[in-house]
Amino acid sequence: MQVSSARGAVLLIGVTLVLSCGCGGSSDTGSPDSPRSAAAAGAVPVVASTNVYGDLVEQIGGDKVDVISIISDPAQDPHSYEASTQNQLSLSKAKLVVANGGGYDDFIGRMLRSADNPSVDVIDAVQVSGKAPAEGGEFNEHVWYDVPTVDKLTDQIADALAKAAPADADVFRQNAKAFKEELTSLQAEEAQIKEDHEGAAVAVTEPVPLYMTEASGLRNSTPEDFSEAVEEGDDVSPGVLRETLELFTDRRVEALVYNEQTSGPQTEKVKEAAEDNGVPVVPVTETLPRGEDYVSWMTANVDALKSALDG
């Protein structure tokens, strides 16, 4: 799974991040050299669980915020991340924390419980979304792929920053308004795909992009046992793998939306089956690629999906 910061060069902070599963790597805790995060004195200190949420705060706060994104390395898995002392120190000083919630980044809750920072405001994106699992079903916690949720989150972040720095409240709300206008354009692109391709069948390697594909009017034909096993890091049974591969050999789907951050032998087989049978592959990630901001990243994802379906 993955993450990065929005504009400018990235300065790696020399802290080793320990992961409890095989997604090793070191974390980038923000972009102190970039214009957006070269914060002015007195800027609001903010900690985000991933660089996706860090970028949202930077879009709204500009140089009035000092943002640390704990996970910004595509090799890192938020589900299994373990905190460092540097992370703990950052949380103890933060005025605002933005996390995904829904079991995605539980390390934030664990750190906050021992951070000795009772006055910090915490925004939980899953709570803001208002989404809940269907009865008896799995919950898709990847709510940053749901543009209406990000729209709601934008207002929550602007309000929290205005509370922390009342003198700059107008700046935060103006920036939020401008950002929400960009989100409107993104939703319009999804609506266009829906108009052109509603009901088209696609496959995914795991649930990460499903809010995007659903907003685009597409039908997920992936066997649920396949995508759940991949997300949980479990082996896919031979029968389920065979069923999934047949989606491509029988040309029953029009695209494969492939999470590049959690590739493994079984997802590679699925990708190869798509390529071998002429089914377009749309790569996605869980964190911001370097040099992208939220809107440019999501626009690229939607454009790639549209191109795949348009043929």
Side-chain angles (χ1 to χ4, degrees):
M1 305 190 177
Q2 320 166 358
V3 183
S4 155
S5 179
R7 299 170 173 86
V10 178
L11 176 63
L12 293 177
I13 293 180
V15 178
T16 300
L17 301 179
V18 182
L19 301 179
S20 63
C21 73
C23 296
S26 60
S27 167
D28 181 326
T29 53
S31 301
D33 290 344
S34 75
R36 301 191 68 88
S37 51
V44 179
V46 181
V47 173
S49 63
T50 73
N51 64 349
V52 176
Y53 295 116
D55 179 71
L56 298 183
V57 175
E58 290 177 336
Q59 297 281 350
I60 298 160
D63 63 1
K64 308 293 186 184
V65 294
D66 185 6
V67 182
I68 290 176
S69 295
I70 292 177
I71 296 180
S72 56
D73 186 330
Q76 292 175 308
D77 184 349
H79 291 281
S80 58
Y81 177 80
E82 292 186 2
S84 72
T85 54
Q86 182 67 39
N87 302 151
Q88 197 77 53
L89 179 62
S90 299
L91 281 166
S92 71
K93 297 179 178 180
K95 296 288 188 182
L96 172 64
V97 172
V98 184
N100 187 80
Y104 185 76
D105 43 15
D106 284 342
F107 64 89
I108 289 288
R110 292 194 298 269
M111 287 192 291
L112 282 172
R113 283 191 287 273
S114 56
D116 192 24
N117 188 359
S119 63
V120 65
D121 272 347
V122 180
I123 295 177
D124 181 308
V126 167
Q127 289 182 1
V128 171
S129 77
K131 296 181 181 297
E135 186 174 350
E138 292 291 322
F139 178 62
N140 180 10
E141 71 271 26
H142 308 95
V143 294
W144 63 93
Y145 267 88
D146 181 60
V147 181
T149 291
V150 174
D151 187 281
K152 294 177 186 177
L153 197 58
T154 299
D155 289 331
Q156 293 271 336
I157 291 170
D159 289 344
L161 293 177
K163 177 182 173 184
D168 296 316
D170 287 345
V171 172
F172 301 141
R173 293 199 168 105
Q174 288 168 8
N175 289 346
K177 181 181 178 181
F179 182 66
K180 283 158 66 79
E181 288 172 358
E182 293 188 83
L183 295 180
T184 299
S185 298
L186 185 55
Q187 288 180 282
E189 292 189 50
E190 291 178 328
Q192 185 61 55
I193 296 176
K194 184 173 183 178
E195 181 177 331
D196 295 339
H197 300 282
E198 185 165 14
V202 296
V204 300
T205 51
E206 61 178 292
V208 171
L210 286 181
Y211 289 119
M212 176 180 71
T213 60
E214 288 164 2
S216 301
L218 307 178
R219 176 169 51 87
N220 175 26
S221 293
T222 316
E224 189 173 340
D225 288 345
F226 178 86
S227 54
E228 286 182 11
V230 172
E231 184 175 31
E232 297 301 323
D234 297 333
D235 289 334
V236 178
S237 72
V240 171
L241 180 59
R242 183 171 58 253
E243 183 184 355
T244 305
L245 295 174
E246 287 172 354
L247 294 174
F248 308 100
T249 56
D250 296 345
R251 294 298 302 265
R252 285 189 268 132
V253 294
E254 296 190 30
L256 167 66
V257 189
Y258 179 88
N259 184 0
E260 292 185 306
Q261 288 183 240
T262 55
S263 62
Q266 292 170 318
T267 57
E268 282 298 310
K269 284 184 181 179
V270 168
K271 181 182 177 185
E272 289 171 11
E275 292 171 339
D276 290 346
N277 290 279
V279 175
V281 177
V282 180
V284 295
T285 60
E286 295 188 43
T287 56
L288 278 173
R290 299 193 190 282
E292 300 282 357
D293 61 28
Y294 178 82
V295 171
S296 68
W297 173 45
M298 280 296 152
T299 299
N301 288 333
V302 173
D303 287 347
L305 184 60
K306 183 178 187 303
S307 295
L309 295 168
D310 287 347

